[in-house]
Amino acid sequence: MSHPDAWAALCELLENLSDLDLLSTSWVRVERELLQFCREWRPAPDDWDSRPGEPWSTITEVTATAMERLHESTGVSPGSDAWFSAVAAKEHVATLWDLAQEQARSENAVTPAMAAVRTAYALALAVDGLVGETFEPHHRAKLDFEIDPDGAHPLLVRPGVAGIDVHEMNTRPSSHPHRGLEATPHLALGRPVHSRFRFVLDWDAFGRLFALDELHEFVVAVLEPTLTLDEYAIVTDDRFYRNLGPRDPRRQARRIARMVEKATQSGASLVVLHEYALTESMWDYLCDQGRDMLSKPVLIIAGVVTETGPGSTCTNEARMLFPREGMGMQAVAHTKLHGAHLGELQEQITTSSEIRIFASDRWALAVLLCLDTLDSEVVEALIDIGVNLLVVPTMSAKTKSMANVMARLSTGSQGLAIMANGPVAWGSEPDPERFVGGRAEAVFSGPYRDEPDVLRFPEVKPGPAHGTGMWIFNFTEREGVWYGEHNL
């Protein structure tokens, strides 16, 4: 597409927006259409290297000019409550149109393909700088919002993780030079992965996560209530395996409830149990017991298996429980996307296509199960959305690749990631070294600048095998401790 065509398209876009009915011209729409213009007229790779510092030098300059003129056109100063409006007035859009016209006449053009796009992106950044903080509250009124692959969605911009700022943090990649012109700090266009899976921004638990927002230090417990695979009812045939959960659900349910209470007494606000840790009846028992516990964590996340019928598939889920709520509020956090393999056998489960991100003031929480973490498109999408707390219940012989993914999230969104893997031993007998073939029972990752930023437990040579119990990890102290069940 030629240079004049690009400018004509940009000016026509802004002119059309200014002609719309006032109630139809939302700031979100203005920014979305500018970003869609950048996608449609994406510059060729060679255009980025034609002049040193470009296009970012001009983008920064035009963004500042646009924000200044928007202030002047309304007489409203930056940060004023008057800017917190969902509607863009005609004079606002006209100001953007005038600036685009000036840039079209400018001799400071990088290449024909880049000139109009850099202006459109600068105008989008100016809008975002003025009203971007209103985009999430505007969508939050719906309680949940499904990301449209052909539309735009708010990004969950969160402050730094509380309690770990005693450590130097890594550098956020979004502040580095990049070629992504399809997102601003508060708004992004849909991507192909949003067609593969249904991503939902969920604010329904906003108030329930408030207690996590208020923490001065963040302590997590990963429970290890089973020792070997023999403690699970695993049914196989020629092609499939079904894990029906612990063989002795009543006994296990009582033990887990006791361990949850002990974990809370040890300072844990979040308690995580691995994939297949509970059956449906065990989950019901835990919910009932949660109301009577003397010490209750803010949140429990656990792998739960539901058998839909004899010989049929199972549902492999991660569920959330808020024991401090009056009736122990609970919800399905995630249903597995990708089935695993046990040798040559395929996991016989009903898979899902939905990924929910639970948002509060400080946290954007997502849960994935086991192999879901190895879907790179999914993880990158969570990073782009702004997820800063990822919890991964798993039951796996190997964890090294999943731990690497957790580190990617901590780097990409400066968030925390937690993996709970069970049972203690992968087989019928506990391993004397426990850490075999890159397998860990618990992994914790944080946005620490200095190593270690990913901590795996047990360490490579922990000594003789111990029994069941829990790992308690303090993200503030960056330290983990093992508590054997016999000592609880």
Side-chain angles (χ1 to χ4, degrees), residues 205 207-211 290-291 296-298 321-330:
R208 298 179 180 92
L209 289 168
F210 178 77
R291 290 192 288 268
K296 303 178 183 182
V298 175
L321 174 65
F322 296 87
R324 296 183 185 181
E325 295 291 310
M327 295 301 292
M329 183 270 179
Q330 57 175 302

Side-chain angles (χ1 to χ4, degrees), residues 14 16 45 110 141 292 303 349 385 429 481:
L14 293 169
N16 289 340
V110 184
D292 298 326
I349 58 171
I385 289 168
E429 297 293 334
V481 179

